[in-house]
Amino acid sequence: MTHIPRRRLAATVTGALLLTACQTTPPADPRPAAPPPGQPASTAAVAAIAPGLAPGQRLEILADNIRATPADTTTGPYTYVHTQSWARVTNTIVRIDLRHWRCDSTGSGHEIERRLPPLHGVHRTPQPRERRLFAQADATLTRYPPGELAPYIAEPVPTDPTALAAALAPPTPDAPPAAPRTLVNGVVGMARSQHLNRDQRTAVLRVLAGIPGITYHGQVTDVADRPGLGFRLTTDGNTLDLVIDTSTGAILAAQDTVQAGSRPGLFSYVLFLTGEHTNSTSVPSGAHEPSCPAASTAAMNHPSASG
């Protein structure tokens, strides 16, 4: 993550985690009153970076004031998510651009992947110039039959923070409370798979605000040069960094760095670029995509496919 001066591998990297419940009681709320709903998000951003606030208070201010985006009102039987990732595999960093379409009613769909040559060694930081190379890489289409492309958690994603935490960390009679790292990993895994509207993003921010141990790291930018606020969780020898958009509340990027052990270095870095619900898919010319109930039979080329 780059600080502003005083300024699967989608599913395999995050993994299908067995999560357990975590509930924390937030401290008394001494923060200044957040701007009223409807005020520009930039005002909320100013409030969120005020000195003297606890990290959870900053996240709550953002949750109170994030705005809707055009993608929040999109409809259609497909969920579309576009990510770019850098992930450790043995002693190399694998770089993947992944566009993911899931038919929500059947759990079918497909992914279009562009992969760059792996980089040897794990002492690396993703560079903005690498992103331009994805467009030059060959595209690979992978199809998933019904039931093979399930969302990270069941749809619809809860908008109540307690329900969302329970969905990310299903409680069991003999399970201990979920570790903070497990919940943060759950939030990242969900963002890889599912598009979240404003109310769902608000719930995510409130879940993060209640996780003990999160620290605030000021105004930062991600590898796509998008500004946001940085939040960090260091636990179990790993550091998890999130960049959160102050206007929309979306997670822009997530980085997992191994700090301890015999092989410190980058474990994963994910950019979350686009998400929406849509009627259309983007498949290679001449290829046939099995129908998704209620899907449009109109244009099959998704405008995001070249973006």
Side-chain angles (χ1 to χ4, degrees), residues 92-113:
T92 62
I93 299 298
V94 176
R95 301 172 290 172
I96 294 176
D97 178 291
L98 189 69
R99 299 169 192 264
H100 165 106
W101 289 263
R102 182 183 66 253
C103 177
D104 295 327
S105 63
T106 66
S108 62
H110 67 273
E111 295 176 335
I112 296 178
E113 176 186 293

Side-chain angles (χ1 to χ4, degrees), residues 1-3 54-56 58-59 180-181 184 208-209 211-221 229-235 237-244 253-257 259 269:
M1 308 295 173
T2 304
H3 283 262
R58 300 179 193 279
L59 287 160
R181 175 180 171 84
V184 175
L208 292 174
I211 296 177
I214 283 184
T215 57
Y216 171 63
H217 283 262
Q219 300 174 79
V220 299
T221 57
L229 298 188
F231 293 88
R232 175 175 295 172
L233 178 69
T234 299
T235 181
N238 283 57
T239 297
L240 300 172
D241 285 286
L242 301 178
V243 180
I244 297 177
Q255 179 171 327
D256 188 352
T257 306
Q259 304 287 3
Y269 187 104

Side-chain angles (χ1 to χ4, degrees), residues 1 7 26 55 65 84 94 115 120 123 142 173 180 182 191 207 213 245 259 263 270 281:
M1 308 295 173
R7 58 154 220 142
N65 293 278
Q84 290 175 343
V94 176
R115 186 179 295 229
H120 182 72
H123 295 284
T142 303
T182 302
V207 168
D245 189 301
Q259 304 287 3
R263 297 179 58 208
V270 187
T281 63

Side-chain angles (χ1 to χ4, degrees), residues 144-208:
Y144 296 88
E148 292 297 316
L149 203 58
Y152 191 87
I153 65 172
E155 295 279 5
V157 172
T159 57
D160 174 76
T162 300
L164 178 57
L168 292 170
T172 61
D174 57 350
R181 175 180 171 84
T182 302
L183 274 176
V184 175
N185 276 341
V187 166
V188 174
M190 179 175 61
R192 284 177 172 268
S193 167
Q194 298 171 258
H195 167 63
L196 305 180
N197 63 30
R198 180 175 61 177
D199 290 342
Q200 293 161 342
R201 296 193 302 274
T202 297
V204 166
L205 293 174
R206 297 199 194 284
V207 168
L208 292 174

Side-chain angles (χ1 to χ4, degrees), residues 8-10 12-13 85-96 115-116 118-124 258 263 265-269:
R8 128 187 154 285
L9 305 184
T12 56
V13 174
S85 63
W86 290 252
R88 177 187 300 203
V89 177
T90 311
N91 197 39
T92 62
I93 299 298
V94 176
R95 301 172 290 172
I96 294 176
R115 186 179 295 229
L116 297 179
L119 299 173
H120 182 72
V122 296
H123 295 284
R124 296 184 176 275
V258 179
R263 297 179 58 208
L266 181 69
F267 185 74
S268 68
Y269 187 104

